[in-house]
């Protein structure tokens, strides 16, 4: 996975409201200047979980879990740091910005990188071809429909079909 730009993380945190983020997952109650609820991370009968909207920070006096909206989503949705950032970005409609240089771990090894990009182009082209083949094949489309795979899924994952010919990909 490419690295998310550092300042994009700040952008996301500036855009989201931790109260909305948490409230979408557990019902919060406004109490004075903060919001509270029973902690989703430990068993309790009286709320010791509180959210500070001004500081965009949550804190539990019971189990001592605390942090930003990102931390909450990581813990609650069981996501990695970058997955949580992507999740929050989606929530507020921000397009994730990735580090150009971090695109490949082979960055300092130019040869490796160019090899990687050649393979990547080849595989992308091959995937496109198989995907085009699927549009041509009635039988393959019927098969997918019977399996309950929708047109959207086919497009989204660029599902393809390999015709019955061992050298199809070489003839192109
Ligand atoms: Zn707790």
């Amino acid at each position: 996975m490419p690295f998310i730009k550092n300042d994009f993380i700040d952008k996301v945190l500036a855009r989201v409201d931790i109260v909305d983020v948490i409230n979408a997952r557990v019902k919060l109650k406004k109490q004075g200047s903060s919001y509270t609820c029973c902690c989703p991370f430990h068993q309790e009968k009286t709320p010791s979980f509180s959210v500070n909207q001004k500081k965009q920070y949550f804190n539990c006096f019971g189990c001592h879990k605390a942090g930003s909206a990102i931390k909450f989503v990581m813990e609650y949705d069981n996501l990695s740091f970058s997955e949580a950032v992507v999740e929050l970005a989606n929530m507020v409609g921000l397009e994730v910005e990735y580090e150009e240089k971090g695109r490949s771990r082979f960055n300092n090894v130019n040869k490796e990188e160019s090899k990687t990009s050649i393979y990547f182009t080849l595989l992308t082209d091959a995937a496109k071809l198989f995907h085009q083949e699927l549009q041509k094949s009635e039988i393959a489309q019927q098969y997918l429909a019977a399996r309950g795979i929708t047109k959207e899924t086919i497009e989204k994952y660029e599902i393809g079909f390999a015709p019955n010919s061992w050298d199809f990909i070489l003839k192109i």
Side-chain angles (χ1 to χ4, degrees), residues 132-145:
Q132 278 168 19
E133 278 312 296
L134 178 67
Q135 321 290 338
K136 290 185 209 157
S137 166
E138 283 269 318
I139 298 170
Q141 286 177 41
Q142 277 167 11
Y143 170 77
L144 288 177

Side-chain angles (χ1 to χ4, degrees), residues 11-24:
K11 216 193 233 177
V12 169
L13 282 175
R15 187 70 78 85
V16 297
D17 185 343
I18 192 168
V19 173
D20 295 338
V21 173
I22 297 180
N23 209 20

Side-chain angles (χ1 to χ4, degrees), residues 39 42 60 63:
C39 179
H42 82 275
C60 174
C63 65

Side-chain angles (χ1 to χ4, degrees), residues 5-134:
K5 270 189 182 171
N6 262 339
D7 38 342
F8 181 75
I9 293 160
D10 297 334
K11 216 193 233 177
V12 169
L13 282 175
R15 187 70 78 85
V16 297
D17 185 343
I18 192 168
V19 173
D20 295 338
V21 173
I22 297 180
N23 209 20
R25 291 163 173 83
V26 282
K27 205 91 219 98
L28 288 173
K29 239 198 205 154
K30 192 163 181 18
Q31 202 165 65
S33 63
S34 61
Y35 292 78
T36 61
C37 68
C38 283
C39 179
F41 303 120
H42 82 275
Q43 284 283 343
E44 63 176 3
K45 292 220 169 73
T46 47
S48 46
F49 183 89
S50 112
V51 184
N52 187 320
Q53 192 170 30
K54 210 168 149 198
K55 292 186 184 154
Q56 290 292 303
Y57 183 86
F58 76 89
N59 179 37
C60 174
F61 300 103
C63 65
H64 304 291
K65 279 215 162 51
S68 66
I70 298 176
K71 178 76 189 294
F72 184 87
V73 171
M74 282 171 72
E75 293 280 342
Y76 194 83
D77 295 1
N78 208 1
L79 298 177
S80 71
F81 182 84
S82 351
E83 286 168 340
V85 175
V86 172
E87 166 74 23
L88 291 174
N90 287 340
M91 186 184 146
V92 290
L94 280 175
E95 199 176 322
V96 184
E97 295 165 23
Y98 293 102
E99 208 74 68
E100 296 268 329
K101 274 203 286 184
R103 259 181 33 229
S104 152
R105 280 176 198 272
F106 298 120
N107 260 340
N108 336 339
V109 196
N110 278 332
K111 235 171 145 190
E112 280 297 320
E113 190 185 26
S114 59
K115 237 204 250 167
T116 308
S117 76
I118 290 168
Y119 290 150
F120 192 77
T121 313
L122 274 173
L123 284 173
T124 313
D125 286 350
K128 268 194 201 126
L129 284 170
F130 285 121
H131 187 56
Q132 278 168 19
E133 278 312 296
L134 178 67

